[in-house]
Amino acid sequence: MSGRVLVGVKRVIDYAVKIRVKPDHTGVVTDGVKHSMNPFCEIAVEEAVKLKEKKLIKEVVAVSCGPQQSQETIRTALAMGADRGIHVEVSGKDYDSLGPLQVSKILAALAKKEEAQLIILGKQAIDDDCNQTGQMTAALLDWPQGTFASEVSLEAEKIKVVREIDGGLETIKINTPAVLTADLRLNTPRYATLPNIMKAKKKKIANVKPADLGVDLTSRLEVLRVDEPPQREAGVKVETVEDLVAKLKDTGKI
Amino acid sequence: PTLTRECLSQLAELPETHQLLRQTCRDYADKELIPVAAKLDKEHAYPAKQIKELGSIGVMAIEVPEDLGGAGMDYLAYCLALEEISRGCASTGVIVSVNNSLYVGPVLKFGTEEQKKRWISPFTTGEKVGCFALSEPGNGSDAGAASTMAHQDGDHWVLNGTKAWITNSWDASAVIVFATTDKKLKHKGISAFLVPMPHSGLSLGKKEDKLGIRASSTANIILEDCRIPLDNMLGSRGAGFKIAMQTLDSGRLGIASQALGIAQASLDCAADYALKRTAFGAPIGKLQAIQFKLADMAVALESARLLTWKAALLRDSKKPFTKEAAMAKLSASEAATFCSHQAIQILGGMGYVTDMPAERHYRDARITEIYEGTSEIQRLVIAGQILKEYQL
């Protein structure tokens, strides 16, 4: 199999940042907060670049949907070895309400436009933890999906995917074109080396609007309120097992 | 000299490539250096694996053009990379700094095309590192008094003498030796020579048992009828002192960046502790005494950092930067000793034991006020420049 791979990369708040809820409870504070590429997207990029190094695919295209700053995320993907980038401009209120359904519509449209043979995404984003975009994209394209991939191998016109599931590991074989989502143990993402950072400067990032792809960004969801998780309270000590059962019944836990 | 508008905007917000590089080095330091720094220090162990990995990231020869195997980036990028690496492990930082600034730097600037290919390209990957031999047992600051001799014998130079305090000596594959061909000419008699290591006539003294930066090797280099081809002279005859001084101007920025990394690591350690440690019913970060320390540390660090970046930008713009480099090295090294001292104070007893990295930062910081130009020499350099400006 040769051809083009689309890799989705999402700009999220850095995993090490302490998240704070906005005073108006409409969301979390993002201004001036450190952002980076979603860790599962890094793994997706790494897998795509490895496939290209093995000469199993020809071109890696990094895609990100978001405001101007999303270009930094694409640039990081280019510095890891992606060939070119596509920045789908979404900002303001549209960006606030952007979710897996709209992104999967965008990715499906791009996959058709770019004649991609493979889409690799992170299994989920660490901000919303949706774990939906890969599955939705596959459904919209009517392509097979290999999600939670911990091992991917291309065999002739099929892809063998080892998936991490609750019961252990499941191995499936799917046809191409297909959508894969990367799980933690798929690979260890490489550092963006200096020579590659310099090479990335010359790589192109195309700008596209969702309307150009015929995608409607209207959200079916409305965020009513965002709150911090409840503060962890002190525990209570009891003397006997009977006391414990009584307390659990009292507080409606059993 | 003043910075152009473009340079000033870089001070305010780093270019994207530089941000990417800084992030790469920060990630590498977090994952690969911080976890092993204490062990490397305790065992005085050269971080061979890490140096090779840093080589493949491209930071062992940042300024070297790509056709020679380097990364082809500027000095600002070098300073950013070095600060992040040193924040993880100060020893690794000085190894990277010496290779970049003191070894590859002068060959790049003063070497012939042939010399660049032979003495730079193999030293860009982290497989081989170089070192710089100027100081002697009899003179450090008084570099012009070098007594290592070089005389011509047929088609060879023969070197005799002892060099002292040479960083990387036990791990290097090449050294730039400064020797005099005519003591009567004083500093104008000094030339620079490229010597491979190991080499007949070159031996190493015992590895010094240092207070800090223990994972980097420091030792004497002893030259006894060490014969090298005539081609191994770097630059022209008698230009050695000038080569050394110009090299140290740039090396100063490397050490400034190393000091910034140590200072930042100290501040990180102290601030984290101040948020967690409680006393008198609240985290100690709530106490003004602790807050004033943290503020003073941050100001010392940030001002030294801006001086360092300004000097780097001036150098990158090919403007004179001697005064600014000396100011950067002076302020950064004093910031490192100040911040690491205060970090121990904030940590209290915990700052004095090896369970926390504060004591290592304190030990690592101390040398930054000494090597590559003592703080006293930096003050002389700065004063000299200022008086020149006022035409005294």
Side-chain angles (χ1 to χ4, degrees):
Chain A
M1 187 187 89
S2 63
R4 191 167 291 139
V5 175
L6 242 54
V7 181
V9 294
K10 187 179 182 187
R11 179 176 183 263
V12 298
I13 295 178
D14 187 82
Y15 77 92
V17 168
K18 188 168 190 295
I19 309 291
R20 280 175 302 140
V21 173
K22 282 202 265 202
D24 62 7
H25 292 274
T26 56
V28 299
V29 177
T30 54
D31 270 350
V33 169
K34 179 158 190 253
H35 284 66
S36 7
M37 188 188 292
N38 180 42
F40 294 106
C41 298
E42 283 182 358
I43 298 174
V45 173
E46 175 65 25
E47 197 61 22
V49 174
K50 274 165 83 153
L51 287 173
K52 188 177 139 200
E53 284 171 345
K54 288 187 202 155
K55 300 208 194 311
L56 293 169
I57 54 128
K58 283 217 182 94
E59 193 186 28
V60 178
V61 183
V63 180
S64 194
C65 306
Q68 192 59 20
Q69 297 96 313
S70 293
Q71 294 205 10
E72 290 163 19
T73 314
I74 298 176
R75 197 68 67 186
T76 306
L78 296 176
M80 283 174 72
D83 296 293
R84 60 183 167 90
I86 300 176
H87 171 216
V88 182
E89 286 182 54
V90 181
S91 50
K93 286 266 181 296
D94 283 336
Y95 182 60
D96 291 339
S97 63
L98 189 69
L101 185 57
Q102 299 98 316
V103 173
S104 55
K105 285 178 184 169
I106 291 171
L107 290 176
L110 278 173
K112 288 198 190 111
K113 185 160 175 272
E114 296 285 336
E115 294 175 338
Q117 287 194 267
L118 191 55
I119 300 177
I120 310 182
L121 306 173
K123 71 170 178 180
Q124 67 197 62
I126 60 170
D127 50 10
D128 54 26
D129 285 327
C130 282
N131 176 17
Q132 295 170 347
T133 308
Q135 293 86 335
M136 285 178 171
T137 309
L140 287 168
L141 288 165
D142 196 26
W143 286 6
Q145 54 185 262
T147 54
F148 309 102
S150 66
E151 213 182 295
V152 168
S153 38
L154 271 52
E155 300 173 359
E157 292 301 304
K158 288 192 194 284
I159 306 180
K160 189 175 95 173
V161 184
V162 178
R163 307 178 57 229
E164 297 205 2
I165 61 172
D166 286 347
L169 296 174
E170 178 193 57
T171 306
I172 60 171
K173 252 195 201 152
I174 55 177
N175 292 324
T176 56
V179 176
L180 304 174
T181 72
D183 209 323
L184 190 61
R185 279 157 282 273
L186 180 57
N187 60 51
T188 306
R190 65 194 60 194
Y191 294 105
T193 65
L194 214 33
N196 286 336
I197 291 172
M198 294 303 282
K199 282 197 195 110
K201 280 208 303 195
K202 302 185 193 117
K203 294 179 184 173
K204 293 214 173 351
I205 300 179
N207 280 312
V208 172
K209 292 195 176 48
D212 298 341
L213 300 169
V215 172
D216 169 24
L217 290 178
T218 325
S219 176
R220 274 98 162 128
L221 303 172
E222 185 194 338
V223 172
L224 297 176
R225 193 185 158 87
V226 176
D227 283 305
E228 298 214 347
Q231 288 282 22
R232 197 182 158 150
E233 282 164 15
V236 175
K237 274 197 184 150
V238 294
E239 294 293 307
T240 68
V241 175
E242 286 77 22
D243 286 346
L244 174 62
V245 173
K247 268 228 170 346
L248 287 172
K249 278 193 178 147
D250 261 351
T251 49
K253 298 282 191 279
I254 52 170
Chain B
T2 50
L3 289 171
T4 60
R5 176 160 295 172
E6 192 196 276
C7 283
L8 282 169
S9 70
Q10 285 184 59
L11 272 178
E13 189 179 341
L14 296 168
E16 199 171 35
T17 44
H18 292 62
Q19 287 184 42
L20 275 171
L21 171 63
R22 196 185 200 190
Q23 192 57 49
T24 291
C25 293
R26 185 169 290 188
D27 288 342
Y28 185 81
D30 286 344
K31 290 195 194 105
E32 307 287 343
L33 293 176
I34 290 178
V36 299
K39 185 162 187 278
L40 291 171
D41 168 73
K42 189 167 183 192
E43 296 174 0
H44 299 242
Y46 177 75
K49 171 175 174 282
Q50 288 76 8
I51 291 296
K52 279 203 200 96
E53 287 167 352
L54 286 167
S56 53
I57 288 180
V59 301
M60 290 307 285
I62 289 189
E63 236 196 343
V64 171
E66 287 180 62
D67 58 11
L68 284 169
M73 278 191 91
D74 56 26
Y75 233 64
L76 179 62
Y78 170 58
C79 290
L80 293 167
L82 208 41
E83 184 188 328
E84 295 302 328
I85 291 166
S86 305
R87 187 184 55 91
C89 172
S91 302
T92 307
V94 75
I95 296 166
V96 174
S97 178
V98 167
N99 196 60
N100 267 283
S101 293
L102 299 189
Y103 173 70
V104 163
V107 183
L108 191 60
K109 192 158 181 202
F110 299 100
T112 63
E113 289 313 306
E114 224 2 83
Q115 283 173 333
K116 287 183 206 172
K117 278 198 206 92
R118 183 170 166 212
W119 299 93
I120 294 182
S121 300
F123 292 79
T124 61
T125 61
E127 287 288 331
K128 295 188 178 189
V129 296
C131 56
F132 176 89
L134 176 65
S135 291
E136 297 174 355
N139 53 271
S141 295
D142 190 6
S147 60
T148 300
M149 305 287 300
H151 73 266
Q152 197 171 335
D153 179 25
D155 53 2
H156 279 84
W157 287 108
V158 183
L159 305 175
N160 276 286
T162 306
K163 293 296 189 182
W165 310 121
I166 310 308
T167 303
N168 285 353
S169 44
W170 273 74
D171 310 291
S173 300
V175 57
I176 301 178
V177 175
F178 292 86
T180 180
T181 50
D182 189 344
K183 274 221 90 167
K184 282 201 283 350
L185 294 174
K186 300 206 185 143
H187 64 273
K188 294 211 174 101
I190 299 174
S191 304
F193 301 90
L194 290 156
V195 186
M197 291 168 77
H199 194 67
S200 131
L202 186 153
S203 57
L204 296 171
K206 75 168 191 352
K207 234 197 252 191
E208 303 289 354
D209 184 9
K210 306 191 293 289
L211 177 65
I213 55 160
R214 303 209 286 205
S216 83
S217 58
T218 307
N220 284 4
I221 289 182
I222 302 142
L223 302 150
E224 291 169 303
D225 286 336
C226 178
R227 302 177 72 85
I228 49 172
L230 290 179
D231 278 346
N232 283 29
M233 179 177 275
L234 177 67
S236 52
R237 184 167 176 154
F241 187 78
K242 196 177 73 148
I243 292 174
M245 293 304 110
Q246 286 188 29
T247 300
L248 286 170
D249 267 352
S250 297
R252 251 145 232 181
L253 292 179
I255 298 306
S257 304
Q258 183 204 22
L260 291 175
I262 298 170
Q264 184 66 61
S266 303
L267 180 57
D268 293 346
C269 179
D272 183 67
Y273 193 79
L275 286 171
K276 292 181 177 146
R277 169 73 176 179
T278 57
F280 305 103
I284 60 173
K286 293 252 182 229
L287 300 167
Q288 284 188 340
I290 302 295
Q291 289 179 0
F292 286 175
K293 285 185 197 300
L294 292 171
D296 289 341
M297 287 159 80
V299 169
L301 168 56
E302 190 62 34
S303 41
R305 183 180 285 135
L306 284 171
L307 272 170
T308 307
W309 290 6
K310 181 176 179 183
L313 285 165
L314 284 169
R315 186 188 183 282
D316 289 335
S317 316
K318 305 221 191 307
K319 292 189 174 171
F321 69 104
T322 300
K323 180 182 75 167
E324 287 78 5
M327 289 170 125
K329 202 264 187 186
L330 177 62
S331 60
S333 54
E334 292 187 346
T337 47
F338 174 72
C339 288
S340 54
H341 182 112
Q342 293 303 324
I344 292 187
Q345 200 65 16
I346 290 172
L347 265 58
M350 281 309 287
Y352 205 63
V353 294
T354 53
D355 301 49
M356 295 292 272
E359 59 82 27
R360 189 182 76 248
H361 299 326
Y362 185 74
R363 291 185 289 105
D364 286 342
R366 196 59 191 85
I367 190 63
T368 62
E369 288 194 52
I370 297 170
Y371 62 10
E372 291 200 38
T374 59
S375 296
E376 290 69 31
I377 291 291
Q378 304 303 336
R379 287 183 163 90
L380 289 179
V381 170
I382 296 166
Q385 293 290 320
I386 292 172
L387 290 170
K388 225 196 287 184
E389 285 165 29
Y390 285 86
Q391 286 182 337
L392 229 80

